Amino acid sequence: MLIYLQLGWRNLWLHPVRSALTAAALAVGMAALTFLSAMNDGWMQQIKGNFALTLTGHLQIHAAGFEQSRKLAQHIAEPDAIVQRIDGIAGIRQLVRRVRVSGLASSAGSNGGALIYGVEAADEREISRLAGFVQQGRWLLPDDVRGVVLGAGLADRLHVGLGDKVVLMASVSNGDIASEVFRVRGLLHSGVMDIDDLLAIIPLRMAQQWLGLGDAVTDIVIRADDFDTVDPLQQRLAQALQGQGLEILRWNDIDPMAQQWADFADAYTWVVLLIVILVVLAEVLNTMLMSLHERIREFGLMGAMGVRSSQLFVMVVWETMLLVMLGSLIGFLLGGGLAWWYGSRGIDLSQFAVAFSFMYMDPVIHPALQAASCLRILGAALIGALAAGLIPAWKAARLEPVEALREL
Amino acid sequence: MALIRADGLSKGYRSGDSLVRALDGVSLDVPQGAFVVLAGRSGSGKTTLLNMLGGLDRPDSGSLVVAGHDVLRMSRDERAAFRLHHLGFVFQAYNLIRVLTARENVAYVLQLRGMEKRQRLALADRWLAEVGLQGFEHRRPDQMSGGQQQRVAVARALAASPDLVLADEPTANLDSHTGANLIALMRHLNEQQGITFVTASHDPSVIAAARTLVTMQDGKIVDLREG
């Protein structure tokens, strides 16, 4: 094995300029790919994190069927008992109770559909970013039972501002329509259309009274330690709450959009990876075929000396692998280094902030290369090296020594 | 028993519409310890015969036994192994692997045969000294003259103690003085160590050194003389 590596390495430097140029092309391609993957990973972490932290949390517990029907009749009657039952389960970082109902918001001048959330004002800050989106006025206070925070788009439609009155109307659990007057305390600017155009947030206790729910809630929203722990936590919760008539949904079950973004980005990265690898393969293949052509007589000589076809095959594959891995490793380190540098400092893309916030992205991107991406890039380079080596190796192996020796 | 027993070897190939007979029923016995020179003009068939004796080329008909092995019944890999363990080659030019030093070129065949590193390097050094290249062990082919390169090729061919060394025009790219030295070296090794050489050449100095001179013409042996 050592002799193949030795021969391969030295053969590469028979034409140092050509090999260096090929390795440099590989390095540039791999560096770009690595940095792009790091950007993508950073984006995806942001999108998923922001998505979950904006509203949905990592997991939600509802009465079975609530997410589908959105009817108040399907509520969690004794949320404290449920919270007690899941207390101490590993992986729960924080949880809050909510009431969620679709309704109508009206002002003196206009009205429009609204998504009404009753929240625990203080605890909600720990689990979602809603309070942070308040750019005008203030977030809810626990003792301010008539306060409402509106999405800025909804407020515009209703032609209301801070301190104005708003009437919220919704169908309560027995089917009757109930309405209540609130006063606008704050306006949300999240950049996410569904939030800014629809959300009306009121204190939980008020929502429960107004909607005749008593102590009942519709959602118990859980923040997990991180995304990797969501699936096992869901299983543990399902086990603990078995037979309670509840559904336990993950963030991507509740709204698959962020997951679809992640899947799309993943597919996009695969396509870019494939294109880069194909270009690189063509470059390496060209170099190796030129090298093979120049050394045909040498291969004939080796065959005459008693080197078997399979040994020639392995030798050429090793030579290709060395070239590809050299370029790839340099490129990977360059791209990884660049990603690390920008990862700590961030890339400011605030000029696109409006478009980014629509996709739950921050205006500053922090590239963050994930282990899976590293494996994918290096694995693709390895497979690419093997693939690029196969044709010249096969050509070298099938050379007849007597024919090859005639070449000059 | 003959080291080489070739009987009725024939080989033809198409050139346009006509069939060229590169070998036409060649039979030849070469005993152990011989120094045979295949002489003849270009196209007479001497290189084709040499390639056949080395298992590099196959005849259309005939039989060939070298060192007790029926070469024509062997698979491609078996022939490679046969060459590795029984034969040594010296070609006209480009005899060495460019990226290996003189010592590594000689030791390479020994490595392929599975010899331990220290032993093969010592043997390589001994054979380089034997061909007068002591001090050249770490030079690469492009740092040596044509004559020195051919000497390395002879050292490589002999280091693995082959039954037979096949040399194809070994002096063709050398000046007359260097060529004469190389032939003297081969002849010396033949006489002192009993190594069998079969050499194809039309160089008069090589022909003059022959103990057995085989003259070929149009793919046939037309004369065989013991010197």
Side-chain angles (χ1 to χ4, degrees):
Chain A
M1 190 63 77
L2 196 63
I3 186 72
Y4 299 130
L5 283 172
Q6 193 180 34
L7 277 171
W9 181 253
R10 290 189 192 175
N11 276 320
L12 282 183
W13 303 111
L14 264 178
H15 295 281
V17 174
R18 188 172 67 195
S19 294
L21 278 175
T22 306
L26 268 161
V28 169
M30 290 305 285
L33 191 62
T34 306
F35 187 70
L36 186 73
S37 293
M39 287 276 286
N40 200 48
D41 287 349
W43 264 328
M44 284 309 109
Q45 277 183 318
Q46 251 181 20
I47 287 177
K48 281 160 67 175
N50 288 348
F51 181 79
L53 291 179
T54 294
L55 199 57
T56 58
H58 291 113
L59 289 151
Q60 288 189 9
I61 302 171
H62 311 135
F66 172 75
E67 191 59 36
Q68 187 72 31
S69 70
R70 304 281 179 102
K71 286 183 177 161
L72 277 185
Q74 289 168 298
H75 56 250
I76 301 170
E78 295 179 359
D80 287 348
I82 301 299
V83 170
Q84 209 166 7
R85 195 179 272 267
I86 62 174
D87 186 35
I89 289 182
I92 299 177
R93 188 163 153 187
Q94 185 77 29
L95 63 80
V96 289
R97 301 161 181 83
R98 285 182 192 157
V99 166
R100 179 168 38 134
V101 66
S102 295
L104 190 73
S106 311
S107 65
S110 183
N111 61 56
L115 189 58
I116 302 161
Y117 273 75
V119 303
E120 298 172 290
D123 290 347
E124 189 67 38
R125 286 176 175 277
E126 303 294 321
I127 209 160
S128 76
R129 303 196 303 165
L130 289 173
F133 292 139
V134 176
Q135 289 184 8
Q136 290 169 271
R138 61 163 171 79
W139 179 242
L140 299 172
L141 296 174
D143 55 352
D144 181 12
V145 293
R146 296 265 169 206
V148 63
V149 172
L150 293 181
L154 178 60
D156 277 352
R157 277 195 287 136
L158 297 175
H159 309 299
V160 294
L162 296 175
D164 290 343
K165 275 187 200 171
V166 170
V167 176
L168 297 179
M169 200 183 296
S171 173
V172 297
S173 54
N174 64 7
D176 293 345
I177 302 292
S179 62
E180 194 61 78
V181 180
F182 295 88
R183 202 166 284 277
V184 179
R185 304 296 186 206
L187 298 177
L188 288 174
H189 292 268
S190 70
V192 180
M193 212 181 288
D194 284 352
I195 292 176
D196 293 353
D197 288 358
L198 289 175
L199 233 58
I201 305 166
I202 58 175
L204 176 67
R205 179 51 50 196
M206 184 62 197
Q208 286 169 325
Q209 283 174 16
W210 165 44
L211 297 166
L213 286 168
D215 288 334
V217 298
T218 56
D219 306 344
I220 295 174
V221 182
I222 294 170
R223 183 172 176 184
D225 289 334
D226 56 56
F227 281 94
D228 294 338
T229 61
V230 168
D231 285 354
L233 179 56
Q234 185 194 29
Q235 285 170 13
R236 286 196 290 274
L237 289 170
Q239 215 164 14
L241 299 173
Q242 207 168 14
Q244 300 293 310
L246 300 170
E247 64 186 13
I248 298 134
L249 302 179
R250 295 168 304 173
W251 62 280
N252 45 348
D253 299 324
I254 294 161
D255 188 342
M257 191 196 77
Q259 184 63 52
Q260 284 172 1
W261 271 111
D263 291 345
F264 170 75
D266 209 35
Y268 171 76
T269 311
W270 274 110
V271 171
V272 174
L273 183 90
L274 195 68
I275 292 169
V276 171
I277 293 293
L278 282 176
V279 171
V280 159
L281 275 186
E283 172 79 20
V284 173
L285 191 61
N286 182 44
T287 301
M288 289 309 297
L289 286 176
M290 277 163 68
S291 170
L292 177 74
H293 183 70
E294 288 164 0
R295 287 156 50 210
I296 280 184
R297 201 173 192 286
E298 193 168 293
F299 286 113
L301 174 72
M302 292 171 92
M305 282 159 55
V307 178
R308 292 195 309 273
S309 305
S310 56
Q311 291 172 311
L312 286 176
F313 184 91
V314 172
M315 191 182 82
V316 176
V317 168
W318 267 117
E319 194 171 322
T320 317
M321 296 261 287
L322 277 172
L323 178 62
V324 174
M325 293 320 286
L326 174 73
S328 300
L329 210 59
I330 292 171
F332 181 73
L333 291 175
L334 274 175
L338 209 60
W340 175 79
W341 170 268
Y342 279 113
S344 55
R345 283 156 186 79
I347 301 170
D348 189 355
L349 299 171
S350 46
Q351 56 184 320
F352 307 112
V354 175
F356 280 10
S357 59
F358 175 71
M359 296 186 293
Y360 293 91
M361 282 163 62
D362 293 338
V364 178
I365 307 295
H366 293 270
L369 199 59
Q370 302 293 295
S373 296
C374 295
L375 283 176
R376 181 163 56 188
I377 292 165
L378 292 175
L382 193 70
I383 291 168
L386 274 172
L390 285 180
I391 293 175
W394 178 72
K395 277 178 174 281
R398 64 193 282 271
L399 280 173
E400 280 295 336
V402 72
E403 301 291 337
L405 283 165
R406 287 193 191 118
E407 296 283 333
L408 280 176
Chain B
M1 186 182 164
L3 180 66
I4 300 172
R5 176 152 288 167
D7 188 21
L9 295 178
S10 292
K11 173 88 175 175
Y13 58 87
R14 290 220 156 267
S15 175
D17 290 337
S18 57
L19 181 71
V20 178
R21 302 209 59 89
L23 280 186
D24 192 359
V26 168
S27 298
L28 179 70
D29 282 1
V30 176
Q32 179 76 44
F35 193 96
V36 179
V37 174
L38 305 176
R41 289 190 300 183
S42 290
S44 59
K46 52 188 189 301
T47 295
T48 305
L49 177 59
L50 204 71
N51 286 339
M52 258 172 220
L53 299 181
L56 294 173
D57 206 350
R58 295 174 79 93
D60 298 332
S61 60
S63 67
L64 175 64
V65 176
V66 179
H69 296 270
D70 188 342
V71 179
L72 304 184
R73 286 184 184 276
M74 291 178 181
S75 68
R76 187 183 163 121
D77 275 355
E78 285 169 341
R79 277 184 285 138
F82 168 75
R83 288 195 292 271
L84 179 65
H85 291 282
H86 296 279
L87 305 183
F89 283 93
V90 181
F91 296 104
Q92 181 175 337
Y94 307 105
N95 255 309
L96 305 178
I97 298 170
R98 283 181 291 177
V99 294
L100 298 182
T101 63
R103 183 198 224 187
E104 289 166 339
N105 261 289
V106 177
Y108 182 51
V109 177
L110 304 172
Q111 185 172 1
L112 289 171
R113 287 174 75 161
M115 192 179 283
E116 184 259 326
K117 186 176 180 181
R118 192 183 303 177
Q119 201 184 347
R120 68 176 181 255
L121 292 180
L123 199 55
D125 288 348
R126 186 167 78 75
W127 274 102
L128 284 172
E130 187 79 26
V131 298
L133 288 176
Q134 200 165 24
F136 287 76
E137 293 86 353
H138 300 291
R139 293 207 186 176
R140 292 206 181 171
D142 60 357
Q143 296 168 323
M144 292 186 285
S145 69
Q148 287 165 341
Q149 288 184 41
Q150 289 299 70
R151 281 168 179 264
V152 176
V154 171
R156 185 190 57 205
L158 295 172
S161 305
D163 296 314
L164 170 66
V165 175
L166 300 167
D168 188 13
E169 305 282 6
T171 60
N173 287 341
L174 305 179
D175 61 68
S176 57
H177 177 69
T178 312
N181 281 348
L182 183 71
I183 289 304
L185 172 70
M186 289 164 65
R187 187 66 198 262
H188 168 76
L189 293 168
N190 169 253
E191 285 168 4
Q192 296 301 310
Q193 303 193 20
I195 298 165
T196 310
F197 282 86
V198 176
T199 305
S201 180
H202 53 251
D203 180 345
S205 67
V206 180
I207 291 167
R211 287 168 64 192
T212 304
L213 180 63
V214 178
T215 306
M216 298 188 69
Q217 189 179 320
D218 299 331
K220 292 179 181 166
I221 293 175
V222 292
D223 190 29
L224 194 152
R225 273 186 221 175
E226 298 293 335

